[in-house]
Amino acid sequence: MAHTNCEHLLADLSDYIDGEAADAVCAEIERHLADCADCRAVVDTLRKTIYLYRNLPQPALPEATRTRLLAAFTFDTAPDT
Amino acid sequence: MFTAARIAHYASLAAIIWRMTIELHAPDVALTAMSGDEGDLIQRLRAGDKSACAECIDRHSAGVYRLALRMVNDPHEAEDIVQETFLNAFKAIDSFEGRAGLGTWLYRIAYNTALMRLRKKQPLYVSIDATSTGNEEEGLTTPLQLFDWCCLPEEDFQTSEARTELERAIAELPETLRAVFVLRELEGLSTDETAQVLNVSVANVKVRLHRARLWLRERLAGYFTELASQATEQTAHT
Ligand SMILES: [Zn+2]
């Protein structure tokens, strides 16, 4: 992060990676990346970070928890009589 | 004395829960179309239909559990939060007007329930961190890890060690960033829906998500840079 506008571009990197940055902002970032190895490393590894967590297996609801929940709300609750 | 204090405590909790269940009905919340299917489910929940409770639990408990687990990092406590969430939701179902989807509303109740538990456990930490809106719009932390580890062999990213590292990083995300991160990136909610769940602005969701991503990148860089340097050393020795 040696150049003066590295930090200035940092705020727009998520929009850039998500394809949500305005054309002018994209062009500015791409011009900068062509010339700045540090920012290229940040963008590459930020993309990789996103890829990794989006492909992380998510915790499942344990079957026992699901069974207890269903029991609590569908059998154990007394009707208002 | 003890009993009176407990009653006061539960009364204040009830007031908080009541506020958080009705907040989603504020007029400034975008009106989202309720699907006929969901409308039907809500009608049945209001009528006290037990099979509707089961259907609602089947549809939404997995997501509510994942959010709770990511918030408190403890499966038993996550289960308690899921129980409380559905209990409070079924009690307050008459006040649910469908301005947000039922799923969004349940995430909101679960988030607030988890937050109350964290606040009780770590009052200082959570009260300063989770409710503060300061610092949000200030400059981002400059990235310090500048080694490009993205081109390590794919198998290095698929090890259980790498997955554990990533899980640990998510668990250590600062409180204010974690809920946004989980809802947007892991649960797949839109920016608008996430803003509704957390009762913050859309701009705030975007800033927090960007911070969370940068934070995770920085946190993972330590591990993967080390891995890359080990690989380089091995190549040098052969
Ligand atoms: Zn740069």
Side-chain angles (χ1 to χ4, degrees):
Chain A
M1 303 244 112
H3 298 85
T4 45
N5 52 347
C6 294
E7 302 214 7
H8 160 70
L9 294 176
L10 188 62
D12 293 314
L13 289 186
S14 266
D15 281 346
Y16 171 70
I17 287 172
D18 293 338
E20 288 173 6
D23 290 350
V25 175
C26 279
E28 193 189 353
I29 291 174
E30 272 156 20
R31 263 198 311 276
H32 181 85
L33 291 180
D35 195 36
C36 179
D38 285 351
C39 283
R40 275 203 304 278
V42 171
V43 170
D44 285 350
T45 51
L46 192 56
R47 274 211 177 94
K48 191 74 186 183
T49 300
I50 294 167
Y51 168 83
L52 289 175
Y53 64 61
R54 285 192 180 158
N55 286 284
L56 189 69
Q58 288 308 303
L61 179 75
E63 194 49 41
T65 299
R66 185 179 164 275
T67 307
R68 279 192 291 272
L69 267 173
L70 286 171
F73 289 107
T74 57
F75 300 112
D76 294 352
T77 325
D80 315 88
T81 47
Chain B
M1 284 288 281
F2 179 64
T3 312
R6 272 176 77 99
I7 290 168
H9 173 67
Y10 284 113
S12 75
L13 282 188
I16 290 166
I17 289 163
W18 175 245
R19 271 204 306 281
M20 81 200 188
T21 51
I22 61 170
E23 266 167 20
L24 270 184
H25 310 131
D28 59 336
V29 173
L31 191 67
T32 51
M34 199 197 295
S35 71
D37 202 20
E38 187 161 300
D40 176 62
L41 178 63
I42 290 158
Q43 288 308 320
R44 287 163 51 221
L45 285 172
R46 285 189 179 144
D49 179 348
K50 294 272 169 82
S51 74
C53 292
E55 197 177 320
C56 183
I57 289 167
D58 265 336
R59 274 194 210 178
H60 298 290
S61 57
V64 167
Y65 176 77
R66 287 190 300 265
L67 173 64
L69 187 62
R70 295 285 186 200
M71 292 282 295
V72 298
N73 291 314
D74 176 86
H76 296 291
E77 199 164 4
E79 179 172 332
D80 288 347
I81 292 168
V82 177
Q83 289 258 8
E84 269 182 61
T85 298
F86 283 102
L87 182 67
N88 291 322
F90 295 154
K91 269 194 215 161
I93 193 69
D94 281 337
S95 68
F96 175 73
E97 290 170 5
R99 288 176 190 271
L102 185 58
T104 309
W105 189 61
L106 290 167
Y107 277 129
R108 174 152 179 73
I109 299 173
Y111 169 73
N112 282 294
T113 307
L115 210 60
M116 274 195 289
R117 281 170 173 263
L118 289 171
R119 213 169 270 174
K120 263 193 276 181
K121 264 197 284 189
Q122 301 162 292
L124 285 175
Y125 170 65
V126 179
S127 64
I128 291 165
D129 197 20
T131 58
S132 106
T133 48
N135 211 25
E136 299 291 350
E137 315 300 333
E138 281 173 27
L140 297 154
T141 314
T142 306
L144 299 173
Q145 302 272 4
L146 298 173
F147 178 78
D148 198 341
W149 45 267
C150 83
C151 305
L152 276 166
E154 190 54 28
E155 59 258 31
D156 282 347
F157 295 110
Q158 302 306 332
T159 62
S160 64
E161 192 182 66
R163 272 201 280 272
T164 305
E165 201 61 28
L166 184 50
E167 284 287 352
R168 202 174 293 155
I170 293 170
E172 288 170 12
L173 261 173
E175 202 76 51
T176 43
L177 307 182
R178 206 188 314 153
V180 166
F181 170 78
V182 171
L183 291 167
R184 277 289 284 123
E185 298 286 63
L186 304 183
E187 294 303 311
L189 266 64
S190 69
T191 304
D192 280 344
E193 288 167 334
T194 305
Q196 287 182 27
V197 171
L198 305 178
N199 200 26
V200 298
S201 70
V202 163
N204 201 295
V205 169
K206 296 193 81 165
V207 172
R208 287 190 197 189
L209 176 59
H210 186 46
R211 279 177 191 279
R213 285 171 166 185
L214 289 172
W215 191 96
L216 287 172
R217 189 205 75 89
E218 204 72 19
R219 174 70 173 64
L220 290 179
Y223 171 77
F224 287 118
T225 301
E226 175 66 28
L227 211 61
S229 76
Q230 281 170 8
T232 314
E233 270 171 40
Q234 274 169 13
T235 317
H237 286 296
T238 49

